[in-house]
Amino acid sequence: MGGELKTVGEALIDILEANGVDTVFGIPGVHTVELYRGLAASKIRHITPRHEQGAGFMADGYARVSGKPGVCLLITGPGLTNAITAMAQAQQDSVPLLVISGVNVRSSLGQGRGRLHELPDQHAMMASLTLMSHTLLDPADLPAVMARAFTILRSGRPGPVHIEIPIDVMSMKVHLPRLVSSPALLPRANLAGVLDLAERCQRARKPVILCGGGAVSATSTVETLAERLDAPVVTTVNARGMLPGHPLSVPASPSLKAVRKLIAEADLVLALGTQMGQTDYDMYVDDGFPELETLVRVDIDATQLARGPNAAISILSSVTSLVDDLLTEMCEERTANGGADRAAAARAAAHAELTDKMRAEISILETIRDTLPGAIIVGDSTQAVYAGNLYFEADRPHGWFNSATGYGALGYAAPASVGASLAEPETQIVCLTGDGGLQFSLAEIGSAKDAGARVIFLVWNNDGYQEIETYMIEQGITPEGVKPSAPDFLKIAEAYCISAMRLAHVDDLPAALRRARDGGGLALIEIHEQNTVGITA
């Protein structure tokens, strides 16, 4: 057999490099050290979080911003199970994660003999939430398994992929063939479907475009399409920033009545790369999203198209190729459909629908955006983020994302912000997190320091889980368990040798943000709902 002879661990690193991987996240252990054998000599940077869940969230943030799969190296057992929450968040939000873990020696699998870090069936557990889970029993299979993994990550709806390598296989030798990057095999609509859609578009007089995270890579052509149709563009949370400041942009949730009215009145609703899931389209679980007779869905995942809502046409295609093909078949003349006026009316009505508290919180988000142009705001599940998900316009694609959608994990923002910074080292990242959520991953402030990340940790302190406390009161339940004490976050930052300040007045925020940015981009700023003057309307 031809090819260079290397250990499985060394070959793995070579394969990762050949597929464009430049960063991996993990905590080495005795169950993975052989996977690290070739790492120091490679061009791949290793980032060490304080917890494996942090590794998964870092990889998630890195993947969202870079567009490349985020990669984790994790030990068997607790290392892998610690990362399951992050993998589930990635599965819900269609984020490509490659998780490579160890597993005990082949002869012990399924035996239940009390091996260190043993699980009854690690592969079966991971198969339930991944696009692919594979146990590498034969070292010769490594190149083919990795090729399949990267093709899956780059083709169809993204999500987590898991490969486990038994400890005894890691040090075995494998002949490594000439390496090439695995291809992306993306579906494309047939010509008949494109022509049908082009005709519907040109007939429409009140079209609306819905954009999800799957449309972000086609931002420029979607803008061209929207202008040609004179169609308002409603962006879900993961698509915010696609058309910043554009007259056709409606950066508001389809859970709001005003946005639903805009959609219901349309004679063509073109849904591009959006799951149309509850956390975007029915946040209040009132079943109020309208049934649409003129809905056209475009998605990269046939299974998702089959899940509903029902559409007049379902088109299996990447958004990029569909919009390219559609523009080719449509006339270039722009149609006057009153799109800008319809979009402006929807924006105004949606904003008016919010509470005074939400509008005050959104104003602070806008202050961050306007003070730090081009910054990326990474959010946790906290009140200001909930308000922004309802109504906030980032000034760039991937400029706003958070864990308050889909899986809804707490502790996401701090490590994901580190990953985002590593994907775009010159970009300022703002980690918007609550006092409760930050304590899930507080130690990742140290990871940011170690990695040289440009992250401003903006802590929204409301003395506990205020969103849950409010909900319990509204339901007539006496609040319990919603007041976990918080440390002095400024002292925590000081302990990590990171500058920090607590705002006395909300008007001090722009100066604090600029000072943090100009001081190297790593800092902590605390806003307290009760003690920071001007924080509430």
Side-chain angles (χ1 to χ4, degrees), residues 12 14-21 68-69 98 132 141-155 161 163 177-186:
L12 173 68
D14 287 351
I15 293 170
L16 293 177
E17 274 197 301
N19 281 279
V21 174
K68 301 190 295 185
L98 174 57
M132 163 190 169
D141 292 339
L142 178 68
V145 169
M146 293 299 294
R148 181 157 58 100
F150 274 104
T151 297
I152 289 171
L153 287 163
R154 293 168 175 157
S155 309
V161 165
I163 297 171
R178 185 177 67 87
L179 296 175
V180 295
S181 181
S182 298
L185 305 175
L186 301 173

Side-chain angles (χ1 to χ4, degrees), residues 98-396:
L98 174 57
V99 176
I100 301 167
S101 78
V103 71
N104 282 309
V105 296
R106 290 171 293 177
S107 62
S108 74
L109 298 181
Q111 299 301 312
R113 294 174 179 165
R115 294 263 182 169
L116 179 64
H117 300 333
E118 185 177 52
L119 285 164
D121 191 338
Q122 182 171 281
H123 164 73
M125 179 181 68
M126 301 312 297
S128 68
L129 76 151
T130 57
L131 300 176
M132 163 190 169
S133 182
H134 182 89
T135 306
L136 187 74
L137 299 176
D138 186 340
D141 292 339
L142 178 68
V145 169
M146 293 299 294
R148 181 157 58 100
F150 274 104
T151 297
I152 289 171
L153 287 163
R154 293 168 175 157
S155 309
R157 182 185 176 191
V161 165
H162 169 241
I163 297 171
E164 61 181 15
I165 305 177
I167 298 170
D168 56 326
V169 174
M170 293 179 187
S171 57
M172 291 181 175
K173 297 295 182 74
V174 58
H175 287 277
L176 196 61
R178 185 177 67 87
L179 296 175
V180 295
S181 181
S182 298
L185 305 175
L186 301 173
R188 191 166 200 145
N190 59 43
L191 180 58
V194 174
L195 291 174
D196 182 16
L197 179 54
E199 183 180 348
R200 289 171 183 259
C201 287
Q202 290 175 318
R203 287 201 313 262
R205 291 298 171 262
K206 297 183 74 174
V208 170
I209 298 174
L210 308 179
C211 286
V216 176
S217 60
T219 293
S220 61
T221 52
V222 168
E223 181 176 344
T224 300
L225 176 63
E227 290 173 347
R228 225 179 260 189
L229 294 176
D230 198 16
V233 178
V234 177
T235 44
T236 66
V237 171
N238 286 330
R240 294 288 171 80
M242 280 186 64
L243 278 74
H246 196 289
L248 294 172
S249 175
V250 183
S253 172
S255 295
L256 295 173
K257 294 177 182 178
V259 181
R260 289 174 169 180
K261 181 175 184 291
L262 171 72
I263 295 168
E265 291 175 351
D267 59 359
L268 174 67
V269 179
L270 181 56
L272 302 175
T274 172
Q275 184 183 15
M276 302 193 77
Q278 184 187 81
T279 53
D280 273 308
Y281 290 84
D282 195 15
M283 188 182 300
Y284 296 113
V285 198
D286 60 8
D287 294 322
F289 189 78
E291 292 187 12
L292 303 170
E293 295 182 0
T294 60
L295 176 63
V296 176
R297 293 192 65 190
V298 179
D299 203 282
I300 205 168
D301 182 7
T303 304
Q304 194 59 43
L305 290 171
R307 290 188 179 115
N310 294 328
I313 305 177
S314 295
I315 298 176
L316 181 65
S317 176
S318 71
V319 174
T320 298
S321 61
L322 185 280
V323 175
D324 285 345
D325 293 345
L326 187 58
L327 290 172
T328 299
E329 299 302 330
M330 289 175 56
C331 66
E332 295 187 10
E333 182 179 350
R334 296 187 180 185
T335 306
N337 286 322
D341 290 341
R342 289 188 290 135
R347 287 195 301 269
H351 194 263
E353 199 175 321
L354 305 173
T355 66
D356 289 342
K357 182 176 184 296
M358 289 174 179
R359 284 194 288 268
E361 291 163 347
I362 291 165
S363 177
I364 292 172
L365 300 179
E366 292 169 344
T367 296
I368 299 169
R369 177 197 64 199
D370 297 342
T371 304
L372 303 173
I376 296 172
I377 303 176
V378 182
D380 216 303
S381 292
T382 192
Q383 288 192 316
V385 171
Y386 300 142
N389 284 350
L390 284 171
Y391 191 107
F392 174 68
E393 184 154 47
D395 65 359
R396 53 159 287 176

